[in-house]
Amino acid sequence: MNNFTYARASSLKDAVQKATSDRNAMFIAGGTNLVDRLKVFLDQPSQLIDISRLEMKQIEKMANGGLRLGALVTNTDVADHADVRRNYPILSRAILAGASQQIRNMATVGGNLLQRTRCPYYYDTAFPCNKRQPGQGCPAISGINRMHAILGASEECVAVNPSDMSVALAALDAVVDVVGTQGKRQIPFTEFHRLPGNTPERDTNLEPGELITSLIIPPLPFAKSGVYLKLRDRTSYAFALISVAAAVDLAGDKIQTVRFAIGGVAHKPWRSKDAEEFLIGKTAETTTFQQAAEIALKEAKPLSHNSYKIELAKRAIRRALTISAKGGGVA
Ligand SMILES: Cc1cc2nc3c(=O)[nH]c(=O)nc-3n(C[C@H](O)[C@H](O)[C@H](O)COP(=O)(O)OP(=O)(O)OC[C@H]3O[C@@H](n4cnc5c(N)ncnc54)[C@H](O)[C@@H]3O)c2cc1C
């Protein structure tokens, strides 16, 4: 770990000012991802700006029935919140499927969105990595890549986003509130994370110095039947090989509306609008869900060790949609 100075932000304005006046400064919230990264020299900030005491710790019910989650609400408090459990079980279950109780007690909403990939080549500074240092190359493309992307990857980077919570938020059409030197703005969740393209060092569309202040989850009555299915090497304390967050709204046996997002397949949670549109008006049955899964994965390009992910993702989509169509529950 390199030396850095520590400063505690006294307000949102102070946090943004500190971050923009020192381009090598970084925010720290729960520290459960950043401190690990500091220890292995992935990040070498000149300054840590501690935002953990700022007033962003509330979960508020909004006038339209949606929820606003402060950026510093812990993952545990989101997952345990009565409204989240009742109305957005996808979100609660996605969070509980990740990390451990102790980590979730420290981890925050904002930090979860900005955790970085678990690609082993990114984590091991003995290897080159375009995400760490643009222009170095990507050894994962010809290396051990069973955990890596099958959708939206580039010749520069095949890493996947590791956040379970983000998969649920993508399916729920959440919105990210941020503040920077230019003031406040909102970023639709599906546009928050980026595909790698030729700038794999950028995970998100946040501008330098911008701070996440809260997340808005719109009202979505049928999200009550939502399902989060996570498939992984171990049933605990492991990142997703494939995950699916899905919610189906039925009128009789016909699909009125549907949302689903896939994790473990790309540099961002993956939504297939084509597959969702295909499902509208169809009968909720296995063959329909299978066809939607085929559409969602039609552009998949496997690497040498991860072609298994294509079939796994299709089956996970089918299963998550089937369970949600039957009223939801644990997948
Ligand atoms: C052993 C282990 C297992 C894990 N397993 C899983 C898992 O299975 N699934 C899963 O989803 N996650 C998993 N995690 C990751 C965990 O969820 C994240 O570490 C955590 O959510 C990060 O939150 P934090 O508040 O600690 O972030 P920090 O570590 O404080 O920060 C992370 C990043 O976010 C930035 N940041 C933080 N808050 C803000 C803000 N408000 N605005 C702008 N920038 C901000 C920081 O600068 C930093 O770059 C695991 C972590 C560990 C250590």
Side-chain angles (χ1 to χ4, degrees):
M1 198 185 295
N2 277 10
N3 287 339
F4 51 82
T5 58
Y6 169 88
R8 188 178 291 169
S10 56
S11 64
L12 292 182
K13 196 171 165 203
D14 181 45
V16 171
Q17 260 169 6
K18 282 186 163 66
T20 38
S21 63
D22 176 357
R23 281 296 177 102
N24 290 319
M26 293 185 80
F27 297 125
I28 183 162
T32 62
N33 185 228
L34 182 56
V35 173
D36 281 354
R37 280 156 37 194
L38 296 179
K39 285 188 211 161
V40 291
F41 300 97
L42 291 180
D43 293 294
Q44 301 182 36
S46 50
Q47 181 183 186
L48 284 191
I49 304 164
D50 184 352
I51 58 170
S52 65
R53 287 165 174 85
L54 296 179
E55 287 300 316
M56 304 192 285
K57 296 182 181 169
Q58 278 80 39
I59 299 183
E60 296 163 52
K61 187 100 176 164
M62 297 170 69
N64 67 1
L67 283 183
R68 184 190 293 276
L69 313 179
L72 288 171
V73 180
T74 66
N75 287 187
T76 296
D77 285 348
V78 177
D80 288 350
H81 193 269
D83 260 330
V84 175
R85 290 174 55 172
R86 190 181 319 114
N87 297 323
Y88 307 99
I90 308 179
L91 181 58
S92 180
R93 293 195 186 120
I95 293 170
L96 294 174
S100 66
Q101 183 68 58
Q102 290 89 341
I103 292 168
R104 295 192 297 266
N105 289 345
M106 288 299 294
T108 64
V109 164
N112 193 311
L113 267 46
L114 294 175
Q115 61 174 298
R116 303 209 72 189
T117 183
R118 296 285 162 162
C119 172
Y121 298 101
Y122 165 74
Y123 264 84
D124 188 340
T125 52
F127 287 93
C129 171
N130 285 329
K131 184 176 274 301
R132 245 184 8 247
Q133 185 76 52
Q136 282 192 335
C138 174
I141 291 174
S142 57
I144 297 168
N145 48 39
R146 68 181 282 278
M147 300 285 290
H148 291 73
I150 52 173
L151 285 164
S154 73
E155 289 180 3
E156 312 273 324
C157 182
V158 292
V160 295
N161 184 300
S163 165
D164 288 294
M165 187 169 90
S166 292
V167 181
L169 293 169
L172 292 169
D173 276 336
V175 174
V176 188
D177 282 326
V178 306
V179 63
T181 44
Q182 306 299 315
K184 298 177 181 175
R185 69 182 179 115
Q186 296 195 313
I187 310 174
F189 201 82
T190 47
E191 290 163 32
F192 182 74
H193 293 100
R194 294 161 60 96
L195 291 177
N198 58 8
T199 52
E201 70 279 11
R202 288 192 66 189
D203 291 347
T204 70
N205 284 316
L206 278 182
E207 296 300 332
E210 274 188 323
L211 181 75
I212 299 173
T213 54
S214 58
L215 262 179
I216 295 173
I217 311 186
L220 202 64
F222 68 92
K224 278 188 176 153
S225 69
V227 167
Y228 188 72
L229 173 59
K230 178 175 179 178
L231 302 169
R232 46 190 156 166
D233 286 328
R234 294 185 304 270
T235 49
S236 141
Y237 218 47
F239 290 90
L241 297 169
I242 295 290
S243 65
V244 177
V248 183
D249 185 20
L250 293 181
D253 64 351
K254 300 286 182 230
I255 300 165
Q256 289 206 105
T257 322
V258 59
R259 308 272 171 81
F260 72 92
I262 322 168
V265 291
H267 204 252
K268 59 186 284 186
W270 193 263
R271 278 277 296 269
S272 169
K273 291 280 178 198
D274 288 350
E276 289 179 13
E277 276 165 22
F278 164 82
L279 285 166
I280 308 297
K282 302 272 188 327
T283 305
E285 59 192 4
T286 311
T287 45
T288 314
F289 295 143
Q290 178 66 33
Q291 285 169 299
E294 298 290 341
I295 295 169
L297 271 297
K298 69 178 183 297
E299 315 236 305
K301 288 198 185 76
L303 299 161
S304 46
H305 299 293
N306 70 1
S307 55
Y308 76 94
K309 277 195 176 186
I310 297 178
E311 185 57 27
L312 196 62
K314 288 179 188 172
R315 291 181 188 207
I317 292 167
R318 203 175 66 202
R319 182 163 150 205
L321 290 170
T322 303
I323 297 171
S324 178
K326 288 180 178 162
V330 178

